[in-house]
Amino acid sequence: MALNTDNVRLVFGLKLKQLRLDKGLSLNELSQKSGLSISYINEIEKGKKYPKSDKIIALAGAMDVDYDTLVSLKLSKRLEPISELLSSNILTELPLELFGIDPASLLELLSDAPTKISAFVGTLIEIARNYNMSVEKFYFSALRTYQEMHDNCFEDIELEAERFMEERGVPADKLLDETYLAEILKTEYNYKIENINEKLNPEFASVRSLTITRPQGNRLLINVHLSSVQRAFIYGREIGYVYLKLKNRLHTTALVEAESFEQLLNNFKASYFASAVIIKRSLLIPKLKDFFALTTWQPEKLVSLVEEFNTTPESFCYRLSNVLPTNFGIKQIFFSRFNNFAGQNLFEMTKEMHISRKHNPHTVKDEHYCRRWIALTVLNDLAESVKNKTYVNTICKAQKSRYIDTQDNYLIISFAQPTATTPNLNVSVSMGVYLDEQTSKTIRFLNDPSIPSRDVNETCERCSLFDCKERIAAPVILQKKHKNEELRKALRRLIN
């Protein structure tokens, strides 16, 4: 088990406390037998100090165990979950202070009730294993939580992006394109930009970009199939890495095995910076106000707005999540992205974010997402239009969705388009806003009859709409829930 110095102290402290309690010794009794002060032993048990050899010998003698047993990093079976947690280095790699957690307090909690905490940690680890959750997936979940805690709006990065543009005298009404951003990379930051050679490196055919960091200047490899707006975002993200001085980085987002949480966090910050310089909030906010003031739903104007900002629907939706909470008071929102191979009835949620306390889509395992979601039906529409050779531009549709279990209502706007790097793979990105009083005041076209309303649920397996024509799986989870409820009722009748 590879542990850093802090965790070695904690393991020793946990082991000392466990042995002391197993021997039935109080802190005072161990103090008297070892000749060490109560306060010193207490600090050892809390992982704050690691004793020198002579003191370890005194403690081992007081508890009638040999020296090697006491200094061994192996914990008892009861504390194995804590040992596994520490050996994963999650506690050291995850910047707990970002979540308002004092690392010292967490370690103290572990040392105060090691057996109870170990049982709790063991439960979480078991859940993670059942859902095939790796440490890297845990980092992604932690990053999403961090974004949600801040309503996905980070004023410090916004100000840095604005300062970057002010330093270069960018006019207030100028939109930065790939040519401008590439020139900054090459002339100011000594980047060399090349195309990925798929013949020499076929394994990189589906990779959007690859950055090779070198002391004499970075080398940026770009997929030749990317659009101008996709290249602009990649250039903006690279500038974000350099301008924000983010050293620990991902070299390509296609490789999802991040070495640390810091790499994911830095990639998020650099990506946020790119969105902020490409989609200026000073220009976006007034245009959004004009769009929301429309009394009819006009999707073509929204698609034109995406194109006007030289961006993709995904980046545009993500940028909306930055400004809607703080500038429009719309805080109950979610974002999702789905992949689908044309002709297949399989839909994979590849990205999600929830700035909401309400009901909204979550990644599920071994279940089928509701086929009434506009995020999925728009993908079917796209596949049909490509098949019939009628596809011209990004498809954009809206739907008012009522979740039947909670009666929560959302306006969902979904975009769908083919991917540039993988044949027959289509992607949809969706932004959902909870329909409360604030949203109804802000978005004037909500009552347009051209926006369909549908009852939806999360998955077929949990849905009570038995006459649903789109259902592709039996409501087995709902049926099990009803069966258990009937058993509980029968048990109550029997007891009473």
Side-chain angles (χ1 to χ4, degrees):
M1 172 170 66
L3 298 175
N4 64 21
T5 303
D6 290 338
N7 287 348
V8 167
R9 287 200 305 267
L10 180 59
V11 168
F12 185 87
L14 290 173
K15 192 162 193 175
L16 177 63
K17 185 169 187 175
Q18 175 197 343
L19 286 171
R20 176 175 65 78
L21 294 176
D22 288 346
K23 298 287 184 179
L25 296 174
S26 66
L27 278 171
N28 184 51
E29 289 170 333
L30 181 57
S31 173
Q32 292 178 355
K33 295 185 69 173
S34 65
L36 305 178
S37 70
I38 293 177
S39 61
Y40 183 67
I41 296 174
N42 190 43
E43 286 189 317
I44 294 174
E45 290 189 352
K46 289 185 180 298
K48 295 180 178 179
K49 290 188 176 179
Y50 191 92
K52 294 182 179 180
S53 297
D54 59 330
K55 293 181 173 60
I56 295 176
I57 292 171
L59 289 168
M63 292 187 294
D64 195 27
V65 297
D66 59 72
Y67 181 94
D68 290 340
T69 297
L70 190 55
V71 298
S72 168
L73 295 179
K74 183 174 179 58
L75 291 170
S76 70
K77 187 175 182 179
R78 284 177 295 169
L79 301 182
E80 278 182 359
I82 289 182
S83 177
E84 188 170 345
L85 177 67
L86 295 174
S87 64
S88 72
N89 284 332
I90 285 177
L91 290 181
T92 56
E93 291 184 4
L94 192 66
L96 299 174
E97 60 276 1
L98 290 179
F99 301 91
I101 300 173
D102 179 9
S105 299
L106 182 59
L107 296 180
E108 188 169 338
L109 178 64
L110 289 174
S111 65
D112 281 344
T115 304
K116 293 180 180 179
I117 297 296
S118 183
F120 175 69
V121 171
T123 301
L124 296 181
I125 291 174
E126 185 65 24
I127 292 172
R129 283 174 176 162
N130 289 339
Y131 281 85
N132 193 30
M133 187 175 185
S134 63
V135 170
E136 183 258 339
K137 287 183 179 179
F138 174 81
Y139 290 153
F140 274 109
S141 297
L143 178 58
R144 285 197 300 271
T145 301
Y146 176 64
Q147 293 172 252
E148 293 158 16
M149 284 172 55
H150 294 84
D151 287 340
N152 202 35
C153 181
F154 295 84
E155 186 64 18
D156 56 336
I157 305 179
E158 297 278 0
L159 294 176
E160 286 293 303
E162 290 170 3
R163 185 164 68 92
F164 167 82
M165 290 183 283
E166 288 173 4
E167 290 173 349
R168 284 150 187 81
V170 178
D173 60 347
K174 179 180 174 59
L175 294 173
L176 305 188
D177 57 18
E178 66 159 319
T179 302
Y180 180 91
L181 296 171
E183 191 64 20
I184 292 288
L185 279 178
K186 290 186 286 188
T187 59
E188 289 195 35
Y189 301 131
N190 197 27
Y191 266 68
K192 185 176 182 181
I193 302 175
E194 306 171 17
N195 290 330
I196 292 175
N197 190 324
E198 295 180 8
K199 292 183 179 180
L200 292 179
N201 302 107
E203 61 274 20
F204 293 149
S206 61
V207 173
R208 291 195 174 194
S209 66
L210 178 65
T211 305
I212 303 172
T213 55
R214 303 177 302 182
Q216 65 272 29
N218 293 343
R219 185 179 172 207
L220 177 61
L221 303 178
I222 296 288
N223 193 301
V224 295
H225 302 293
L226 296 185
S227 65
S228 173
V229 297
Q230 290 172 324
R231 290 194 296 271
F233 177 80
I234 290 171
Y235 298 154
R237 186 176 59 204
E238 289 299 319
I239 292 173
Y241 269 115
V242 180
Y243 192 78
L244 299 176
K245 298 180 175 60
L246 304 172
K247 301 298 184 184
N248 193 0
R249 60 163 299 155
L250 293 175
H251 293 283
T252 173
T253 53
L255 300 177
V256 294
E257 296 180 359
E259 296 175 359
S260 67
F261 177 78
E262 185 184 11
Q263 283 188 344
L264 289 182
L265 181 62
N266 286 345
N267 183 72
F268 163 72
K269 290 179 178 179
S271 299
Y272 191 112
F273 180 92
S275 293
V277 297
I278 293 172
I279 312 175
K280 294 181 181 180
R281 63 177 175 179
S282 59
L283 298 178
L284 175 63
I285 292 171
K287 290 183 180 295
L288 281 179
K289 288 180 179 178
D290 291 341
F291 180 72
F292 290 155
L294 296 174
T295 56
T296 58
W297 162 240
Q298 301 179 44
E300 68 282 357
K301 288 194 175 182
L302 191 56
V303 173
S304 295
L305 195 56
V306 173
E307 294 172 348
E308 181 181 340
F309 278 99
N310 190 39
T311 189
T312 64
E314 179 172 347
S315 293
F316 185 80
C317 285
Y318 234 65
R319 190 64 176 138
L320 288 185
S321 73
N322 303 148
V323 302
L324 288 182
T326 53
N327 295 278
F328 293 88
I330 300 177
K331 297 186 177 181
Q332 305 287 355
I333 65 179
F334 70 81
F335 167 89
S336 65
R337 182 180 70 195
F338 280 91
N339 283 355
N340 165 254
F341 280 97
Q344 297 185 11
N345 198 10
L346 298 173
F347 301 89
E348 180 188 7
M349 183 182 285
T350 56
K351 186 176 287 187
E352 59 174 324
M353 182 181 63
H354 317 281
I355 308 175
S356 174
R357 301 298 175 264
K358 296 290 184 180
H359 186 103
N360 44 59
H362 286 76
T363 303
V364 294
K365 179 179 172 62
D366 301 327
E367 295 182 44
H368 298 82
Y369 295 107
C370 178
R371 264 40 181 184
R372 292 171 171 236
W373 286 355
I374 187 69
L376 306 190
T377 60
V378 74
L379 284 168
N380 290 331
D381 294 340
L382 172 61
E384 190 68 20
S385 68
V386 172
K387 179 181 177 182
N388 296 332
K389 298 182 180 179
T390 58
Y391 174 76
V392 178
N393 199 1
T394 302
I395 297 177
C396 178
K397 294 193 174 184
Q399 175 178 301
K400 286 186 282 190
S401 298
R402 182 175 70 96
Y403 283 82
I404 60 175
D405 287 344
T406 63
Q407 299 300 301
D408 287 334
N409 290 280
Y410 281 87
L411 170 69
I412 318 291
I413 297 177
S414 294
F415 300 85
Q417 57 186 189
T419 60
T421 56
T422 305
N424 299 318
L425 180 65
N426 297 328
V427 61
S428 74
V429 293
S430 304
M431 177 68 72
V433 297
Y434 180 66
L435 297 183
D436 56 12
E437 184 177 352
Q438 179 62 37
T439 305
S440 299
K441 287 180 180 178
T442 304
I443 304 177
R444 300 292 302 281
F445 57 77
L446 280 177
N447 295 323
D448 187 340
S450 69
I451 301 177
S453 298
R454 302 198 76 184
D455 287 340
V456 302
N457 215 319
E458 282 196 59
T459 66
C460 292
E461 286 78 358
R462 301 170 187 270
C463 185
S464 59
L465 288 175
F466 294 105
D467 59 345
C468 175
K469 295 180 181 179
E470 291 87 350
R471 177 185 294 281
I472 64 167
V476 291
I477 294 179
L478 182 66
Q479 290 168 350
K480 183 177 180 180
K481 179 181 178 181
H482 287 169
K483 182 179 180 180
N484 289 341
E485 183 59 31
E486 291 301 315
L487 287 174
R488 280 192 289 269
K489 289 179 180 178
L491 181 59
R492 285 195 293 269
R493 289 195 298 268
L494 185 64
I495 293 175
N496 297 331

